[in-house]
Amino acid sequence: MRNIAPLSGVADFVSTPEQITATSSSPAQPTTAAHGSGGEDAGGVKSVRSESTAGILFGIGAYGLWGLLPLYFFVLMPAGAIEIVANRIVWSLLFCALLITITRAWRVLGRALKDRAVFGSLALAAGLIAVNWLTYTFGVTTGHAVETSLGYFINPLVSVLLGVFVLKEKLRPLQWTAVGIGFVAVGVLTFSYGQLPWIALILAFSFGLYGFVKKKVGPRVDALTSLTVETVVLAPFAAITMVVLGVTGAATLTTLGAGHFWLIVASGVITAVPLLFFGASARRLPMTTIGLLQYFAPVLQFIVALTVFNEAMTSARWIGFCVVWLALVLLTIDMFRTARKNSALKKQARLEAA
């Protein structure tokens, strides 16, 4: 099976999380640092700190933009979820094409499209992310922004469940406890909403499965190429949707003035830029730090829902969310414990090898 070569230049900015995981279990080491003089060692430490700082800033940028997406969708109203997602796909494809032209990566994209295994996985990923985008946009534009934030809060729990049922992984005690608490939280929230929080569950499972499928593709395709292939798959459906909406008079793209038009066109940039920031962040930071930063987005979504959209939070919903947050605290503790243990084992292995 042919490997798809990573891009250069701008492409280094958009490395995939899968490529990063193999090299970012510890902060990146500067390639120019020497072991001779103290001055050079000090320069190496400064370089590591600079890289870590940049990684954190890029991570905050990525998750911050994702967390503030509800405000963008709110500004686009009265455009509905279907129109917003259709435009998002089409304009994202054009923006990706521009980036690929700048980075001269058309051959890389061509190899991805010709590789059946890669294309098949990314086509499945495209379907899953389309479901995720539609559900998320529908939730935000119909007064369920709090529930959309819940979906991304429980996403780590779903990822743990996928590890058990799909990858046949064995859970550690704290992980089992967190999953059990998560089920309790869903029960409390079901009672609160009077029905299953289906928006949150669809978001959590669609994004969890999306991440699982993308992980299978692994380092064979970079983030920019991956997003481009996914939008290539979805673009014909999105374009047809835009035409149908236009013919039936349901489209708002060209009917609400130049400002609204350019705001919708900007969805291509708004979709791609956080992905670029995430790639730059994950390349510089250990995965434990990335794991903590991921909560930044749903926290922002939750705050926006309460303070800007003025969505109601009953006592039962507060209890449900607090139970979810307790489960996430346990997962985070387990993550740090495992990271420390792995780090200690690596140090011991290096000492034994020396």
Side-chain angles (χ1 to χ4, degrees), residues 60 63-68 295-305:
I60 291 173
Y63 288 108
L65 288 171
W66 281 326
L68 294 175
Y295 298 130
F296 193 54
V299 165
L300 276 179
Q301 293 165 7
F302 184 73
I303 292 172
V304 167

Side-chain angles (χ1 to χ4, degrees), residues 12-326:
D12 183 52
F13 193 60
V14 293
S15 302
T16 62
E18 292 76 25
Q19 291 170 318
I20 296 148
T21 303
T23 58
S24 66
S25 56
S26 60
Q29 298 298 320
T31 56
T32 57
H35 299 286
S37 68
E40 288 176 332
D41 288 341
V45 171
K46 288 182 179 179
S47 177
V48 170
R49 289 178 179 174
S50 177
E51 284 287 284
S52 297
T53 301
I56 290 172
L57 291 176
F58 279 125
I60 291 173
Y63 288 108
L65 288 171
W66 281 326
L68 294 175
L69 265 182
L71 292 175
Y72 174 65
F73 295 149
F74 181 75
V75 171
L76 293 183
M77 293 174 68
I82 293 176
E83 181 183 8
I84 291 174
V85 172
N87 276 274
R88 188 176 180 182
I89 291 166
V90 170
W91 300 118
S92 294
L93 178 58
L94 294 179
F95 184 67
C96 288
L98 175 63
L99 289 181
I100 287 177
T101 300
I102 293 172
T103 57
R104 300 178 182 178
W106 285 103
R107 290 184 179 178
V108 177
L109 176 62
R111 288 198 290 270
L113 293 170
K114 291 177 182 178
D115 189 318
R116 292 184 179 180
V118 169
F119 182 79
S121 294
L122 292 179
L124 177 57
L128 290 167
I129 202 62
V131 170
N132 183 272
W133 284 355
L134 280 168
T135 305
Y136 180 76
T137 311
F138 172 80
V140 170
T141 56
T142 57
H144 296 87
V146 167
E147 193 176 343
T148 64
S149 72
L150 174 64
Y152 292 106
F153 276 126
I154 65 177
N155 180 66
L157 298 172
V158 170
S159 297
V160 171
L161 286 176
L162 287 174
V164 174
F165 292 108
V166 180
L167 300 178
K168 307 301 180 183
E169 295 177 351
K170 292 183 178 180
L171 295 188
R172 296 179 290 274
L174 270 182
Q175 289 177 312
W176 274 119
T177 304
V179 170
I181 292 174
F183 277 109
V184 172
V186 170
V188 172
L189 291 165
T190 298
F191 172 78
S192 169
Y193 283 101
Q195 61 180 10
L196 274 173
W198 63 270
I199 291 176
L201 292 174
I202 290 175
L203 286 174
F205 278 94
S206 62
F207 198 72
L209 289 168
Y210 173 77
F212 173 74
V213 172
K214 294 291 287 289
K215 185 176 179 63
K216 287 185 65 178
V217 179
R220 291 175 291 170
V221 58
D222 62 87
L224 176 58
T225 303
S226 176
L227 178 62
T228 305
V229 173
E230 289 165 33
T231 50
V232 164
V233 171
L234 297 174
F237 304 100
I240 292 171
T241 299
M242 290 173 65
V243 170
V244 170
L245 290 174
V247 170
T248 59
T252 65
L253 178 64
T254 59
T255 61
L256 297 178
H260 183 77
F261 173 83
W262 288 112
L263 277 172
I264 291 185
V265 171
S267 62
V269 178
I270 290 170
T271 297
V273 167
L275 178 66
L276 304 183
F277 282 1
F278 175 78
S281 174
R283 184 168 58 84
R284 290 168 169 84
L285 297 176
M287 293 311 294
T288 49
T289 306
I290 293 294
L292 287 178
L293 285 175
Q294 72 175 326
Y295 298 130
F296 193 54
V299 165
L300 276 179
Q301 293 165 7
F302 184 73
I303 292 172
V304 167
L306 294 186
T307 60
V308 179
F309 300 159
N310 296 315
E311 292 190 12
M313 279 290 287
T314 64
S315 298
R317 290 180 189 177
W318 276 114
I319 293 172
F321 269 81
C322 287
V323 174
V324 169
W325 294 333
L326 174 60

